[in-house]
Amino acid sequence: MREVVLVYLDRSGGLQKFVHDCKKYNDSKQSYAVYRFIISINPSDIAELDATLGNYILHNPLQAAQIFQSVCFVAIKTLSLIEQLQTEAQISILLKPTHLPPLPSYVLSLSAYPFDYTSQRFYMSEGIVIAMGTVTKYTQGARFLCTEETCPFSEGFRCIRVHCPGATESATVRTDFVCSLCSSPLQEDMKFRVLGDKQIVEMVDAKILNALKGYSIDKSHFRIQAFTLFLR
């Protein structure tokens, strides 16, 4: 699947954009804990190249992003795109689909029952925004060092925490992380914390418009429940 990813990026122009993004990181001469890349993907085109990879991206996007991460890391090292990059864990890949299959199973409808949205895959949702919060900061990535000086993880970029979709802030930054090698406490290197913007949005299902039509003969009862989105 890594070969298919490379072929798709080359054909779609994604590889050229990736090289351009790497150049901006490399020209900054600043060492980052996490290098974040947004890759636009067309599920239909990928499915034509390799049906397995196309299905994997649609239904296991977090695991599929790891394949893109591996390919991007090899490309950076082979072409010497970012001199400061040390480990593959420093690369954060966000897959951004151009569209999803026009099928009911890909539509997130919170007015339908029962709810069966336990899988962490892509969904489409249509609604009406009723409230928006202010733009605040959140941690996209952070570097941690082992407090035991003799431990190999006390230097370099071996302990990297990267925000994943659906995770809370405490999953990325906390004070109780321990070293996986020697079990000593980990301490964050604040100089390398990478911040991003987030905004909280309240939405309601688009079916609320039916309630505003004023049909008095309709005796069905229903309630409208708002749901919260985190835009990052």
Side-chain angles (χ1 to χ4, degrees):
M1 285 193 286
R2 290 179 175 84
E3 294 180 2
V4 178
V5 167
L6 186 59
V7 171
Y8 172 75
L9 291 177
D10 185 35
R11 293 182 181 180
S12 65
L15 187 59
Q16 183 178 0
K17 179 182 180 300
F18 174 74
V19 172
H20 181 265
D21 292 340
C22 289
K23 187 177 184 300
K24 292 191 297 183
Y25 278 123
N26 195 50
D27 292 344
S28 68
K29 300 304 179 181
Q30 178 182 351
S31 184
Y32 293 85
V34 176
Y35 298 86
R36 189 167 183 261
F37 299 95
I38 299 177
I39 299 180
S40 296
I41 54 174
N42 186 320
S44 299
D45 291 346
I46 294 181
E48 291 182 2
L49 285 175
D50 188 277
T52 302
L53 178 60
N55 184 72
Y56 202 55
I57 290 175
L58 288 174
H59 298 94
N60 298 280
L62 297 182
Q63 290 76 12
Q66 295 177 357
I67 300 177
F68 279 78
Q69 177 188 25
S70 177
V71 172
C72 291
F73 177 73
V74 173
I76 291 175
K77 285 300 184 182
T78 302
L79 303 177
S80 301
L81 299 176
I82 302 178
E83 297 178 0
Q84 304 90 337
L85 180 70
Q86 296 186 19
T87 64
E88 183 176 324
Q90 291 180 260
I91 299 178
S92 175
I93 300 296
L94 177 62
L95 299 180
K96 186 177 181 181
T98 57
H99 66 280
L100 293 179
L103 300 172
S105 59
Y106 292 96
V107 178
L108 175 65
S109 176
L110 297 182
S111 64
Y113 186 84
F115 306 135
D116 186 21
Y117 302 112
T118 56
S119 63
Q120 294 182 331
R121 66 175 179 85
F122 292 116
Y123 290 98
M124 294 180 291
S125 181
E126 184 180 27
I128 302 171
V129 176
I130 61 174
M132 298 177 64
T134 58
V135 177
T136 58
K137 296 294 183 180
Y138 79 101
T139 303
Q140 288 182 350
R143 174 199 188 193
F144 287 83
L145 297 175
C146 182
T147 54
E148 175 56 51
E149 296 181 356
T150 59
C151 179
F153 287 4
S154 63
E155 58 183 9
F157 292 84
R158 300 172 182 267
C159 300
I160 301 294
R161 303 290 300 184
V162 180
H163 176 271
C164 293
T168 61
E169 183 78 5
S170 62
T172 308
V173 179
R174 285 205 312 268
T175 58
D176 59 347
F177 291 129
V178 296
C179 178
S180 59
L181 189 63
C182 67
S183 300
S184 299
L186 293 179
Q187 184 176 9
E188 182 186 358
D189 187 350
M190 295 296 296
K191 300 190 301 293
F192 289 90
R193 179 180 289 194
V194 181
L195 300 178
D197 294 332
K198 74 174 180 181
Q199 187 174 23
I200 298 177
V201 175
E202 290 286 332
M203 292 183 64
V204 291
D205 195 281
K207 292 183 179 179
I208 192 177
L209 296 177
N210 295 330
L212 303 178
K213 293 179 180 179
Y215 290 150
S216 59
I217 59 175
D218 186 1
K219 297 182 179 181
S220 61
H221 299 281
F222 56 89
R223 63 189 293 266
I224 300 299
Q225 175 71 50
F227 57 96
T228 303
L229 293 179
F230 288 81
L231 304 181
R232 299 183 184 271

